[in-house]
Each structure stands twice: as C-alpha cells, then as structure tokens.
C-alpha cells in the first residue's frame, strides 16, 4: 500500500464547488486527510478571501477582479452549488472558524498566496497575523508561485512552514537555494529529477483534474507510481475517493 498522504485541493472540489465552505465542510469529514489546500486573494478593502482566480467570472455570476470588489459587494455574488444551497466566496476568517478544531487535532492547511499575477501589497503580513492571532501557525503550510511572497512570509514569520510551488520540481529546488523551505510543491507531471535527488524532501504534488460541476472521468491515480517517483503527498480534487 502506498503511503502517499492525501490533501483536499480547494476542498472536495470535484463533487462540490471549489474553495467554498461546503467543499471544506466535506473535507473535514474525511478521516485521515492530511490537509486542505486553498487559495487566497485580497478584496478592494483589504480583506483576505478564499478564491482561486484573480477574477470572479469563472466561479460566480459576477464580472471583474476580486481586487475591485469590497467584501460586502463580493458577498452578494453566488457560487453555484447544484441542489445544495448556493455558496459565497468565503473569507479566510470564516474558513478558519470552520476548520480550526480539525487543525488543532492535527490536520494541516496549505494557504496558497495568489500573488504571481497581482502582487497584493500587504497580503503576506495580513495572513501571517491572522494565523498568529488564531494560534494555529504550526498547522499551516504557506505556498506561492511567487517566491518573493514566500520571502516576505519568512520575514514576518521566521518559523513558518513553506512549500515551494512551481511546475517542475527542478525549478522548486532552484528556488530553494535562495529561500529556506520545508517542502517542494511541483505539478504531479513535473518530476524531472531522479528520486535520488529529491529523497530528502517532502514532495507535495498537485494535479489539475476535474472540478465541480464537471463530471469525473472515473480515472484514478496509481499512488504507488507517484511514490516511486519520490512524491510524498498529493493534492487531489476528489480526496474522498482515496481515503
Ligand atoms: O498549491 C497547489 C495548486 O493549487 C497550485 O495550482 O492553480 O490549483 O492553485 P492551482
Ligand atoms: Mg492552489
């Protein structure tokens, strides 16, 4: 049996709308889940919100950039959730309210700062402060495609756990040379180095895959094959199918 650890990517984002309280509620029900991954952006009035895209168009009926919405206007938008009640874009506070108990019981949370397209000045300090105020810093892994953001997180929180995010694992390792980090977060098809080169690292691989409300293809990853490549953890849209 492969010992690859399973994370819920954007929550349980195959059967439920990604990055919503509903997708996170379903994730925390899964026993033995290693953690949840989510993405953060900042509103016009500086609130940390959980949404993958810089724009609201794909996941809500709205149009435009998250950064041009105040939190109260963003909250008026709906996220389609089928027969379940429609969802709204959650704040980081709301997500922590929901999952804090599970974090205290050992589950982890990977907060991906979506700063590579728009840098969101001040985001790093805000998220570190929020996590600190909640006292859950030991359960958090920060990641970003934008290395300078991770450098700022390290500055505000010297003990932060950081996962270096990139497509190829060789690029993750390259960035690791200028930034202390605990883990590498490559695309699952981006393992372009032999296992020997990465065996000393936690390697959390992410995959694209189908998102709600697309139908799943029914295909399943062979976790043993990933493990042979040196992958220790995987972010999946459908973690409930593996645990
Ligand atoms: O953090 C892993 C993964 O989520 C990175 O890609 O686009 O799904 O945020 P994306
Ligand atoms: Mg992400």
């Amino acid at each position: 049996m492969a010992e690859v650890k399973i994370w819920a990517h954007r929550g349980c984002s195959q059967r439920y709308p990604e990055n919503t309280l509903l997708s996170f509620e379903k994730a925390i029900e899964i026993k033995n889940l290693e953690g949840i991954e989510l993405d953060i952006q900042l509103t016009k009035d500086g609130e940390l919100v959980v949404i993958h895209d810089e724009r609201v168009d794909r996941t809500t009926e709205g149009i435009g950039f998250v950064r041009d919405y105040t939190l109260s206007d963003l909250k008026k938008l709906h996220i389609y959730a089928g027969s379940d009640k429609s969802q709204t874009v959650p704040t980081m506070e709301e997500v922590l309210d929901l999952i804090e108990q599970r974090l205290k019981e050992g589950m982890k949370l990977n907060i991906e700062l979506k700063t590579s397209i728009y840098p969101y000045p001040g985001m790093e300090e805000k998220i570190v402060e929020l996590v600190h105020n909640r006292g859950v810093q030991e359960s958090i892994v920060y990641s970003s495609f934008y290395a300078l953001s991770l450098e700022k997180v390290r500055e505000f929180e010297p003990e932060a756990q950081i996962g270096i995010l990139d497509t190829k694992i060789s690029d993750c390792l390259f960035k690791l040379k200028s930034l202390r980090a605990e883990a590498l977060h490559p695309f699952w098809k981006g393992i372009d180095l032999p296992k020997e080169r990465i065996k000393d690292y936690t390697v959390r691989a992410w995959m694209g895959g189908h998102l709600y409300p697309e139908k799943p293809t029914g295909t399943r990853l062979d976790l043993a094959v990933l493990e042979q490549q040196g992958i220790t953890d995987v972010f999946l849209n459908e973690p409930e199918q593996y645990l």
Side-chain angles (χ1 to χ4, degrees):
M1 258 283 273
E3 285 177 17
V4 176
K5 298 185 182 96
I6 307 286
W7 293 65
H9 183 235
R10 313 184 197 176
C12 289
S13 56
Q14 168 62 74
R15 286 191 170 69
Y16 306 95
E18 67 183 68
N19 282 332
T20 59
L21 292 180
L22 179 60
S23 72
F24 301 135
E25 267 165 31
K26 299 296 175 184
I28 59 177
E29 284 170 9
I30 304 173
K31 230 178 117 204
N32 297 329
L33 186 75
E34 179 70 5
I36 293 175
E37 186 266 2
L38 54 74
D39 311 282
I40 58 169
Q41 313 260 355
L42 265 190
T43 62
K44 188 176 179 180
D45 47 347
E47 297 291 336
L48 291 162
V49 286
V50 180
I51 176 169
H52 178 273
D53 299 0
E54 284 66 31
R55 296 183 66 96
V56 299
D57 308 41
R58 179 176 62 86
T59 50
T60 78
E61 79 277 36
I63 295 171
F65 288 93
V66 174
R67 68 174 194 258
D68 293 332
Y69 278 79
T70 60
L71 179 59
S72 85
D73 284 339
L74 192 67
K75 279 290 188 186
K76 290 177 189 147
L77 302 178
H78 303 85
I79 298 175
Y80 173 73
S83 57
D84 289 299
K85 222 162 56 143
S86 82
Q87 297 285 299
T88 59
V89 175
T91 62
M92 194 59 228
E93 291 262 16
E94 287 171 324
V95 175
L96 286 173
D97 285 343
L98 176 72
I99 71 170
E100 193 169 306
Q101 187 51 37
R102 281 285 267 126
L103 295 181
K104 291 183 171 154
E105 290 162 9
M107 194 188 78
K108 296 193 176 88
L109 176 66
N110 176 198
I111 300 176
E112 183 189 342
L113 287 78
K114 283 289 184 197
T115 38
S116 56
I117 295 180
Y118 184 72
Y120 291 119
M123 177 190 269
E124 296 83 4
E125 192 168 5
K126 272 179 202 278
I127 188 64
V128 166
E129 191 184 351
L130 174 59
V131 162
H132 243 273
N133 290 344
R134 295 280 184 143
V136 291
Q137 56 273 25
E138 284 174 17
S139 314
I140 308 296
V141 175
Y142 295 95
S143 66
S144 177
F145 282 102
Y146 190 50
L148 293 185
S149 235
L150 298 176
E151 191 177 64
K152 282 187 198 153
V153 167
R154 174 68 74 222
E155 190 184 308
F156 294 123
E157 168 64 289
E159 297 312 313
Q161 295 177 67
I162 288 179
I164 301 212
L165 189 47
D166 213 312
T167 304
K168 291 181 180 161
I169 200 162
S170 55
D171 288 327
C172 295
L173 265 187
F174 185 77
K175 289 182 186 174
L176 188 88
K177 291 192 174 131
S178 49
L179 185 76
R180 179 163 58 88
E182 287 63 40
L184 310 174
H185 289 195
F187 183 47
W188 73 291
K189 289 184 178 168
I191 309 300
D192 59 348
L193 292 172
K195 188 175 179 179
E196 189 54 29
R197 285 278 303 273
I198 53 175
K199 67 176 174 22
D200 296 333
Y201 299 99
T202 295
V203 177
R204 302 190 186 103
W206 47 279
M207 47 178 320
H210 290 250
L211 290 163
Y212 179 87
E214 267 184 69
K215 292 271 179 291
T217 60
T219 52
R220 289 285 171 270
L221 283 178
D222 187 341
L223 299 182
V225 172
L226 301 190
E227 196 167 48
Q228 280 157 22
Q229 291 180 288
I231 292 170
T232 59
D233 297 53
V234 65
F235 297 105
L236 296 167
N237 297 347
E238 230 181 342
E240 64 273 36
Q241 289 302 298
Y242 293 80
L243 289 168

